[in-house]
Amino acid sequence: MNGREKMPLARRIISLVMAAVTILVGLGIPFAGSDVARADGATVALIPSASSVPIGGTVTLDVQIQNVTGLFGVEVRLSFDPTRLQVQDALAYQTGVQIQPGTFPNPADGFVAVNSADNASGTIIYAMTLLAPAAPVSGSGTLARIVFQGVSGGSASVIFTSVSLLNNLTQPIPAATQNATITVTGGPTNTPAPTATPTRTPGPTATPGPTATPAPPSPTATPVPPGPCAAYYTVRWGDTLYSIARRYGTTVQAIAAANGIANPSLIRVGQVLCIPGVTPPPPPPQDCWYVVQRGDTLYSIARRYGTTIWYLASINGISTCCFNIYVGQRLRVPCTVPPPPPGQCYVVQRGDTLYSLAIRWGTTVYAIMVKNNLTNPNCIYVGQVLCKP
């Protein structure tokens, strides 16, 4: 009887304690063991909010997190007008186009899970998280930096389509957003064009036979690529001028010069490139099929076929949030299998973690992830080959 009477009393006491804790958290009063972050006016902003850039010039936007408390992970998605702006690649050693990581939170204390800019669709995704034993950060700072190049004149908005701030308990931190507008102004190249036309109008006034002689200048403008083209190549998702140059046995500088490319890091999907040189072009790359085996990951398959997880995900419709695949799944992959990349590499043993390997090699978890194109520091497996940074 006494036991049955004590039980409801104990439950009542626990309920009262939990209610008191809830009230304290709601009022913002800290208590022992509370790591719940509060967003006292947290804002994710593009700085500056308004700027201008001439065609061919560049402008920098900082993605800043302001007045946040207890931040542990963040993901932002942005959209921009790709007909007026193009993102310049900040990490030339990686495939694809990336933006420059910032210092808040510091990637050295965790890892960048996603860093991708698509100049064809006009989208940017950037996500990073801290790793234990790193503590959540509070205050303000720069999450990432974006460098845009002006492509055509007009006003273009850079807009947050999604913002997610999380504390160390993976609870969301509410935050306001501030978008930006970039005005692309017409460069001096547009002005000479009209002035050139009036100078030629006097030419046609001399209607006699000499008018046929000024006509040839227009055909000379038609062959845009200077010099002979051994082949024409259409840029695919994940291509870089470096990878295309290696494929055709030429140099980045030669392709850039043949196509009038000012910035070798800036090419777009669907762009047709003149490939200079006399080497006969190789057959166009084809796709083959691979059946996922037990122990496979998208990363291991991408390394085996000399491509990236982003490319495999895009052509197979795989979500980039987790890169999940399953045994028996058929994946489209490139047919050619290049030799493994050179460098000092290590085969993962049972009990290894990226943290233990970083200590052993005298480096950081983030450096190993960048070197090996890893997206999840907790996802390595026995037998996996990791190259030392």
Side-chain angles (χ1 to χ4, degrees):
M1 193 64 180
N2 287 338
R4 277 197 295 266
E5 289 177 358
K6 287 180 182 177
M7 199 57 133
L9 179 59
R11 288 181 181 171
R12 282 199 297 272
I13 293 173
I14 292 173
S15 300
L16 288 172
V17 171
M18 293 303 294
V21 168
T22 304
I23 293 170
L24 290 174
V25 173
L27 294 175
I29 301 172
F31 64 95
S34 171
D35 269 331
V36 179
R38 300 181 65 249
D40 299 324
T43 303
V44 183
L46 293 172
I47 306 296
S49 59
S51 56
S52 63
V53 60
I55 293 177
T58 59
V59 62
T60 300
L61 289 187
D62 282 347
V63 183
Q64 288 194 1
I65 302 176
Q66 302 169 348
N67 304 322
V68 73
T69 304
L71 180 66
F72 201 76
V74 56
E75 179 190 272
V76 295
R77 294 171 181 257
L78 302 103
S79 67
F80 61 92
D81 185 350
T83 64
R84 302 193 189 281
L85 300 170
Q86 292 279 283
V87 177
Q88 288 197 307
D89 189 15
L91 306 175
Y93 56 88
Q94 291 191 10
T95 305
V97 179
Q98 290 89 24
I99 63 177
Q100 180 64 45
T103 56
F104 185 84
N106 191 349
D109 295 330
F111 76 102
V112 176
V114 183
N115 185 353
S116 172
D118 190 338
N119 281 321
S121 62
T123 56
I124 299 171
I125 305 174
Y126 184 85
M128 76 146 298
T129 183
L130 297 173
L131 291 174
V137 296
S138 300
S140 303
T142 301
L143 173 68
R145 174 165 292 178
I146 311 168
V147 179
F148 284 107
Q149 182 178 44
V151 177
S152 64
S155 179
S157 297
V158 184
I159 301 171
F160 287 105
T161 56
S162 171
V163 170
S164 177
L165 305 182
L166 300 174
N167 63 12
N168 59 340
L169 302 178
T170 67
Q171 296 169 332
I173 303 174
T177 58
Q178 176 185 302
N179 300 321
T181 302
I182 299 175
T183 303
V184 184
T185 57
T189 48
N190 289 359
T191 342
T195 51
T197 32
T199 51
R200 298 204 178 176
T201 39
T205 51
T207 24
T211 47
T213 13
S218 59
T220 49
T222 350
V224 180
C229 297
Y232 289 93
Y233 178 78
T234 303
V235 177
R236 298 167 49 152
W237 199 94
D239 281 337
T240 63
L241 276 193
Y242 177 73
S243 65
I244 297 169
R246 287 195 60 178
R247 184 179 303 160
Y248 283 90
T250 181
T251 65
V252 171
Q253 292 75 13
I255 298 178
N259 293 274
I261 298 174
N263 182 359
S265 300
L266 189 62
I267 57 175
R268 64 181 184 277
V269 174
Q271 181 177 358
V272 179
L273 297 178
C274 162
I275 309 298
V278 292
T279 310
Q286 301 175 349
D287 286 334
C288 292
W289 293 93
Y290 174 80
V291 180
V292 177
Q293 307 296 317
R294 186 177 300 279
D296 280 340
T297 65
L298 204 61
Y299 171 75
S300 66
I301 298 171
R303 283 196 61 135
R304 184 179 309 164
Y305 286 93
T307 184
T308 66
I309 57 175
W310 307 101
Y311 176 73
L312 292 183
S314 67
I315 64 173
N316 289 282
I318 297 172
S319 169
T320 56
C321 72
C322 313
F323 298 106
N324 286 333
I325 57 176
Y326 55 87
V327 175
Q329 182 177 0
R330 294 179 74 246
L331 298 179
R332 183 179 282 110
V333 294
C335 287
T336 54
V337 184
Q344 192 178 4
C345 297
Y346 171 79
V347 179
V348 175
Q349 307 296 318
R350 184 176 301 277
D352 282 339
T353 64
L354 284 193
Y355 182 70
S356 65
L357 294 177
I359 293 176
R360 187 184 311 169
W361 295 341
T363 182
T364 64
V365 171
Y366 177 69
I368 299 175
M369 293 184 65
V370 169
K371 177 70 175 178
N372 294 276
N373 197 22
L374 301 178
T375 58
N376 187 345
N378 300 315
C379 187
I380 60 173
Y381 54 90
V382 175
Q384 183 177 358
V385 178
L386 296 179
C387 292
K388 300 178 182 178

